[in-house]
Amino acid sequence: MTTDANAPWLVVGLGNPGPGYAANRHNVGFMVADLLAERIGGSFKRAQKAQAHVIEGRIGAPGPANRRLVLAKPTSYMNLSGGPVVGLRDFYKVPTANIVAIHDELDIDYGVLRLKLGGGDNGHNGLKSMTKAMGPEYHRVRFGIGRPPGRMQVADFVLKDFSSVERKELAYFVDRAADAVEALVTEGLERAQSAYNS
């Protein structure tokens, strides 16, 4: 799928707003977005046309691989992510193929990444909302959180903070996920997959 090389990219970290959710497994998309914001050197500001906080900047080395980037964190709850994403897409005139959702993924082991274009939502409420709003043909950076232990309900698991053992490696995995997003935007899906789909 080819897109206009000058069109901006919209990278959306998925999560729930507010300090009570900040360290939850479900908010790993926000964690990666925060790290990308540091790398760009900006701070999030409230978007004018959507329920989201955004940073505008550029990503990639100077030259043909340098890309315009809108980095966003919806301020709606996870299950309403589609509305803010569509608002940002329309305001910034971003092709759907230039949208990247960063999200937690239950069916992948903790810390493992999978990058892909399109597909189902696998029960993820943020993806479900985005797909309902604009169809499935956007990129996903899937951050593995593993399955709940024992009989713990999925909803309880994703809304709990990472365990003390997981937190020892969390910064490394978040850093790697941010690298994967940069590679996807600047080098394309296939090269990013070969480097980061572990």
Side-chain angles (χ1 to χ4, degrees):
M1 182 180 293
T2 57
T3 57
D4 175 3
N6 296 315
W9 283 75
L10 173 59
V11 173
V12 183
L14 295 183
N16 285 308
Y21 295 101
N24 288 178
R25 293 181 177 93
H26 221 19
N27 271 44
V28 76
F30 275 15
M31 297 174 197
V32 177
D34 286 339
L35 180 57
L36 286 166
E38 283 180 33
R39 292 181 180 186
I40 293 168
S43 55
F44 284 101
K45 296 178 175 60
R46 186 171 290 281
Q48 293 180 336
K49 301 290 184 181
Q51 275 187 286
H53 290 133
V54 297
I55 295 174
E56 296 176 61
R58 300 195 76 87
I59 197 169
N66 192 258
R67 298 281 182 264
R68 283 176 59 209
L69 180 73
V70 179
L71 182 63
K73 297 193 299 184
T75 54
S76 64
Y77 283 97
M78 177 77 86
N79 60 346
L80 300 172
S81 299
V85 174
V86 166
L88 293 169
R89 178 197 68 181
D90 294 349
F91 181 72
Y92 289 103
K93 298 180 173 53
V94 180
T96 301
N98 279 22
I99 296 174
V100 181
I102 313 165
H103 65 92
D104 57 304
E105 179 62 61
L106 286 160
D107 285 339
I108 303 174
D109 289 341
Y110 174 62
V112 173
L113 297 175
R114 292 278 188 276
L115 283 66
K116 68 178 208 172
L117 174 65
D121 58 57
N122 202 23
H124 191 286
N125 288 330
L127 297 182
K128 196 175 292 184
S129 177
M130 285 180 61
T131 297
K132 184 177 179 185
M134 62 183 188
E137 291 303 307
Y138 54 90
H139 289 88
R140 299 103 189 274
V141 174
R142 305 156 72 207
F143 186 109
I145 60 169
R147 301 294 304 182
R151 297 185 176 183
M152 184 186 289
Q153 295 295 309
V154 164
D156 294 334
F157 179 69
V158 300
L159 293 175
K160 279 195 168 22
D161 292 357
F162 285 101
S163 70
S164 57
V165 172
E166 289 169 334
R167 284 197 296 271
K168 289 176 182 172
E169 294 184 293
L170 183 59
Y172 167 77
F173 289 137
V174 167
D175 189 70
R176 192 165 182 272
D179 290 345
V181 172
E182 289 193 26
L184 171 59
V185 171
T186 60
E187 300 175 31
L189 179 61
E190 284 186 20
R191 289 185 70 174
Q193 284 176 323
S194 66
Y196 293 98
N197 277 18
S198 43

